[in-house]
Every structure is written in C-alpha cells, then in structure tokens.
C-alpha cells in the first residue's frame, strides 16, 4: 500500500477533486481539464497521464450514463451509430501513434502537441455550441424532434473522429462530439443530446483506456488518487451546481482551455520566438488569458445584439445551454 502513496499522491488527489467539482458544476471539462493539469503538475509521463485519465473517466462517466439511461433520455439508435465509429478508432488510435513514433521523447512531444491542439479545438467547439444555441433562440424553427431521421454516414464519421481524438489525447469525448451532434441534429432536445453523448462516451473511453493500458501499462499510483479525488469532487459539484453562477465558470473554462492548449504547444517544441525564450512564451500565454478575459464578453455582447438579444443579461449562458435546440429553417 505504501508503494501506491507516492510523493505526488496528494497533489493528484487535490487536482482530481478540484477538476471533479468543475465537472459536477458544469458537466464539461473532464479530460480537457484533467490531462493538462496533471501534465503541468509533472506527475508522470504524458502517456501514463492519458492512460490514467481515460481509465478514471470510464469509471465516473458510467454513473452519469446510468442515470440518463434510467431517465430514458439517450437516443439509443443514434448512440449505437456513434459507438460503431468511435470505439474501433479509439482502440486503434494509440496503436497507430505508437507504431509511427518509436522514440519516447518524440512520442512525449507529439502527444503534448496533439493534446494542445485538442484543447484549442475543444474551447472553440464550446464557443460554437453557445453561438448555435443563441441563434436558435430567435430562429423561429419548429418544435424539438425527439426522434430525428438518423444520418448514418455523417454520424459514424463523427464517431470515428471523436474516437481517434479521445484515443490519442483523452480530450473530446464530450465537447467535440456534442457540437457535432448539435449541428447534425439541431432538433434533438437538450436532455437527449446530453444523454446520448454520455451513453456513447462510456464504451468510447473504455476502449481508449484498454488500448492505452495494453501499450503503456497502468500506473496505479496515478489512477488511485485521481479516482479518489475526482469522484467525490464530481458529487460535490453536482450538489453545488444550483447555487453557483455557471456562466462565469463556463467562460473561465474556455479561457483556461485556450491558455493550457497554447502552453502545451510551447512545451511540445513550438517556439515562435526561438529556443530559450520561455519568458516570452509565458508572457504570451498570460496575454492570451487577459485578452480573452476582457475581449470575449465584449465580442459576445456584440454577437447577441446582432441576433436580436440584449448585449448582456437574459438569456444567460446557462439558459442558452438549457434551451432546447430548434430545427433550422
């Protein structure tokens, strides 16, 4: 037992707990926040972190999927087609990457580069999701469609893209697939959108976890504190959610994802100012965060006004997230 409690045990436990609270509060940000947090803590190789994060996600996502299943919210046929595309790619992705890159240092840098790009992609897809919901508020479309016509090929392709992304980086099981579903099926009610995404996410992250475990092994001294921290954190966050202004947290997540993604690109070897300019790179990351902190609300206000809504106020970000999508006209 003492071998499992390493010097970094409590750092991982606290990180898992804090990220779990955010996941419970907002329903987003699991892999997108946990993976970079552990990388920046320096608790292990990137391959080990991705493997532990995927394994932990398979555990705590199962609880959410079971809850939605009991409530009857997933669209089972749609989730089945997503799984048909995502599970094989989630399993094959790590093997493909490992086969293409045999140098451990190069593999570390490539993984960090992929995760950095995935984080920036996740931040942009979340912003796009809010924009689509805002457009739908005044679109004048029809009622939500509980059972839309399934577009087989695009749905399977979305699953394949999401599976490859998750298998390699552990990021994207919620953010990327969610926005793709919203664009493919704009009439799907919000509760079915979330339930379907959670249902397909469990076999997706499980396949990705098993593949990474087979290649890299599983470091229990990473997994145990991660699970022990994230599960109670998620439960606490879920109970605090009704009392917290989620719009501020969600905007904060987008800023953190953008800063983390940029910082990981620098750590992976992307040096726009040349080698040995870490101070300039740190200043760049901080400047991006400050710019987003002040400029994003202004840009968001202008977009709201262009769509016939007040620049600030109702409907809030949280209300837009809960707005049932309408069919495009």
């Amino acid at each position: 037992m003492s071998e499992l409690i390493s010097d970094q045990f409590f750092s991982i436990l606290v990180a898992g707990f804090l990220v779990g609270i955010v996941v419970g509060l907002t329903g987003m940000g699991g892999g997108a926040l946990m993976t970079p947090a552990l990388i920046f803590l320096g608790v292990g190789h990137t391959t080990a972190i991705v493997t532990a994060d995927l394994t932990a996600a398979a555990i705590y996502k199962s609880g959410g999927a079971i809850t939605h299943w009991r409530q009857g919210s997933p669209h089972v046929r749609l989730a089945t087609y997503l799984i048909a595309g995502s599970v094989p790619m989630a399993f094959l992705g790590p093997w493909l990457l490992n086969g293409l890159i045999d140098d451990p240092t190069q593999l570390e840098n490539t993984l960090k580069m992929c995760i950095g790009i995935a984080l920036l992609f996740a931040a942009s897809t979340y912003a796009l999701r809010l924009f689509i919901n805002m457009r739908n508020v005044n679109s004048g479309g029809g009622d939500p469609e509980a059972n839309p016509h399934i577009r087989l090929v695009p749905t399977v392709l979305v699953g394949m893209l999401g599976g490859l992304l998750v298998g390699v980086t552990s990021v994207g099981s919620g953010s990327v697939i969610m926005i793709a579903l919203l664009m493919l099926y704009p009439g799907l009610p919000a509760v079915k959108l979330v339930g379907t995404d959670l249902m397909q996410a469990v076999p997706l992250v499980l396949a990705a976890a098993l593949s990474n475990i087979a290649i890299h092994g599983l470091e229990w001294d990473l997994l145990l504190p991660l699970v022990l921290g994230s599960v109670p954190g998620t439960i606490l966050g879920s109970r605090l959610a009704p009392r917290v202004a989620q719009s501020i947290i969600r905007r904060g997540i987008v800023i953190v994802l953008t800063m983390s993604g940029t910082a990981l690109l620098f750590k992976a070897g992307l040096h726009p100012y040349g080698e040995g300019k870490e101070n300039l790179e740190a200043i760049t990351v901080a400047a991006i965060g400050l710019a987003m902190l002040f400029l994003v609300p202004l840009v968001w206000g202008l977009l709201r006004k262009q769509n016939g809504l007040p620049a600030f106020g109702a409907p809030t970000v949280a209300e837009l997230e809960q707005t049932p999508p309408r069919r495009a006209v």
Side-chain angles (χ1 to χ4, degrees):
M1 183 67 183
S2 60
E3 295 177 356
L4 297 177
I5 303 179
S6 63
D7 295 337
Q8 300 161 332
F9 183 93
F10 293 103
S11 298
I12 301 170
L13 184 74
V14 172
F17 182 72
L18 294 177
V19 172
I21 289 176
V22 175
V23 173
L25 282 171
T26 64
M28 62 178 289
L33 290 176
M34 189 70 75
T35 300
L38 295 178
I39 291 174
F40 290 128
L41 278 175
V43 296
H45 295 295
T46 305
T47 52
I49 289 171
V50 169
T51 303
D53 187 29
L54 284 167
T55 307
I59 295 171
Y60 62 72
K61 281 181 180 289
S62 299
I66 291 172
T67 300
H68 279 271
W69 177 269
R70 288 176 176 174
Q71 294 172 350
S73 61
H75 192 296
V76 177
R77 187 159 165 253
L78 178 56
T80 301
Y81 288 138
L82 286 170
I83 291 169
S86 66
V87 169
M89 291 305 297
F91 192 84
L92 289 175
W95 290 98
L96 291 173
L97 185 63
N98 196 63
L100 291 172
I101 304 172
D102 54 5
D103 179 66
T105 301
Q106 186 182 358
L107 180 60
E108 281 284 302
N109 289 335
T110 302
L111 269 178
K112 288 174 182 175
M113 181 75 73
C114 291
I115 294 170
I117 294 171
L119 292 176
L120 295 176
F121 191 29
S124 62
T125 55
Y126 174 66
L128 180 59
R129 176 182 170 188
L130 285 181
F131 179 74
I132 291 173
N133 282 350
M134 179 181 65
R135 291 287 298 270
N136 286 335
V137 168
N138 291 331
S139 67
D143 295 330
E145 280 185 291
N147 294 292
H149 172 69
I150 303 299
R151 303 168 63 183
L152 176 59
V153 174
T155 301
V156 173
L157 289 176
V158 165
M160 292 175 68
L161 173 62
L164 180 62
L165 191 63
V166 173
V168 173
T169 69
S170 81
V171 178
S173 65
S175 55
V176 175
I177 293 179
M178 181 78 81
I179 187 63
L181 288 178
L182 183 59
M183 297 177 73
L184 282 174
Y185 305 102
L188 196 67
V191 65
K192 279 195 171 292
L193 192 70
V194 175
T196 302
D197 179 63
L198 272 174
M199 181 179 172
Q200 65 83 31
V202 174
L204 164 58
V205 296
L206 183 58
L210 290 174
S211 182
N212 276 280
I213 290 171
I215 298 172
H216 307 295
L218 180 61
E219 297 189 9
W220 290 95
D221 58 339
L222 273 176
L223 179 62
L224 282 180
L226 194 57
V227 173
L228 291 175
S230 61
V231 171
T234 303
I235 295 172
L236 177 60
S238 301
R239 294 183 177 180
L240 292 175
R243 309 173 188 175
V244 177
Q246 294 191 22
S247 60
I248 296 175
I249 297 175
R250 291 169 191 267
R251 290 172 186 171
I253 289 176
V254 173
I255 295 174
V256 170
L257 292 182
T258 305
M259 294 175 67
S260 298
T262 306
L264 277 176
L265 293 181
F266 291 152
K267 284 178 71 69
L270 182 64
H271 301 298
Y273 308 112
E275 294 285 346
K277 302 290 185 180
E278 289 82 3
N279 289 339
L280 280 177
E281 292 172 358
I283 291 172
T284 300
V285 172
I288 289 173
L290 287 173
M292 292 186 68
L293 183 63
F294 292 105
L295 292 180
V296 167
L298 296 178
V299 173
W300 180 245
L302 289 174
L303 289 173
R304 286 171 61 100
K305 291 192 72 173
Q306 290 178 359
N307 286 273
L309 297 173
F312 302 100
T316 63
V317 170
E319 289 170 339
L320 286 174
E321 285 245 320
Q322 296 302 318
T323 299
R326 299 176 183 274
R327 288 194 297 271
V329 294

